[in-house]
Every structure is written in C-alpha cells, then in structure tokens.
Amino acid sequence: MQTEAEVRAWLRSHGTETVRHPGGTLYAHLCRVQERLGALGHTTATQSAGLTHAVYGTDGFDLALLFWGEREALRDLIGPAAEELVYLYGSCDRDRTWPDLAANRTVADRFTGEVTRLNEDQVTPFVDLTIVNELDVMEQDPSLLTANRAYFTGLFTAWEPVTSPAVATEAHRLLNA
C-alpha cells in the first residue's frame, strides 16, 4: 500500500489532471471526494477509495485509468479494502442497483452481470462514497443540481437508513438549499 502522495502522483501520471470534469479536472474532483469523506469521518480506506473511485470508470463516467481485470495493481496501490470499494463503485450498474440498494444491499456488476450482496461494513461506505461523489458534481455544476434535485432527493432519502448521519446532513444541506 502506497502513501497518499504516491497515490496522487499515480493519478497524475495517468492523466487525471488533463481530463475535464465538473469543477475543473478529474484529479481535482477525486481529491475533493477524498477530502470530503475524511472531513465527514470516514476511514483511511474509504478516503483512499474516494480518491481513486473512478479508476475502473463508472456507470456515469466511462473513462477507465486501469482495466477492471487488473485489480491487483490498484490493491497494491491503496490496499485490499479500499480497492474492493472502488471495484464495487466502478462496477455498479446504477439502473439495476440504486433503486433498491437500501432494501436489498446488493450491487449489480456492469462488467460481469453478477449481483453481489454487500457486507454490513460495506454498505455505508459504498452509499456515502456514491452520495459524496454526486454532491461534488452537483456543487461544481449547479445546472446538474437544478436538473436532478428531485431525483437525488428521492434517492438519498430512500438511502438514509444506510447513510452515515454526517453524509445525510450534507445531502440535505445541498439538496434543500
């Protein structure tokens, strides 16, 4: 497992500072997500996952920095627990997962088609990472907030039973502003 500075250097070496993203670059977004997760009390592993959450691409952001079949490389960089969260996040088929996530605690894998039941210790970090990511995007591009406020208000309300109190408060703050 590498230091945060080494992980950030790895991200920069993979071009994240040149990829446009709401709020500037993908690198800036990844750093903001990591920092917000830390400020909201998440573990180092969850923060590391926040910093690298887009490495395999996502259902909403198709650019992959690393092929999902090369998971060992990311495990060596951020550790197994953080990498598992990054894989779950990146592989998540949002249409099949998000509507019933709080109730069934499963993630449909867009790469393999498999459905994985989250362990109790994975549910809140997964949900919180997802929410923090979406909050950052909407804060950086207020037009996305305007266009998606009702959808995310309903979704995040449904997820409240499995969301940390700190992240739920952040979501309410932004969506009810």
Side-chain angles (χ1 to χ4, degrees):
M1 195 162 100
Q2 304 297 311
T3 67
E4 179 183 326
E6 290 168 323
V7 175
R8 286 179 180 229
W10 185 91
L11 289 167
R12 288 190 303 274
S13 76
H14 282 73
T16 57
E17 289 180 310
T18 64
V19 177
R20 294 177 53 90
H21 196 277
T25 66
L26 177 59
Y27 179 76
H29 166 70
L30 296 171
C31 292
R32 285 191 306 267
V33 170
Q34 176 204 23
E35 291 161 5
R36 184 178 241 165
L37 287 166
L40 295 171
H42 275 282
T43 66
T44 301
T46 301
Q47 292 174 54
S48 293
L51 182 60
T52 57
H53 71 269
V55 165
Y56 302 129
T58 73
D59 198 358
F61 193 77
D62 200 34
L63 176 72
L65 305 177
L66 189 64
F67 173 61
W68 64 267
E70 300 173 306
R71 293 178 64 184
E72 191 64 35
L74 189 59
R75 271 189 215 111
D76 290 345
L77 190 65
I78 63 173
E83 187 281 332
E84 180 66 23
L85 184 53
V86 171
Y87 181 81
L88 287 168
Y89 185 82
S91 71
C92 177
D93 179 324
R94 293 175 179 184
D95 289 339
R96 291 177 51 209
T97 300
W98 283 8
D100 300 316
L101 179 59
N104 64 25
R105 299 173 186 203
T106 60
V107 174
D109 189 316
R110 68 188 180 99
F111 302 136
T112 68
E114 295 176 8
V115 175
T116 301
R117 181 160 182 79
L118 299 178
N119 297 326
E120 284 305 311
D121 62 338
Q122 292 175 308
V123 176
T124 298
F126 178 79
V127 167
D128 283 5
L129 170 56
T130 302
I131 292 172
V132 166
N133 174 72
E134 297 302 331
L135 293 178
D136 182 71
V137 170
M138 289 185 284
E139 282 178 327
Q140 300 305 314
D141 185 345
S143 69
L144 292 174
L145 174 59
T146 301
N148 297 292
R149 182 186 309 269
Y151 170 75
F152 282 113
T153 297
L155 184 66
F156 296 166
T157 298
W159 288 358
E160 278 187 10
V162 294
T163 305
S164 72
V167 170
T169 298
E170 282 286 290
H172 284 290
R173 179 189 60 77
L174 178 65
L175 293 171
N176 297 320

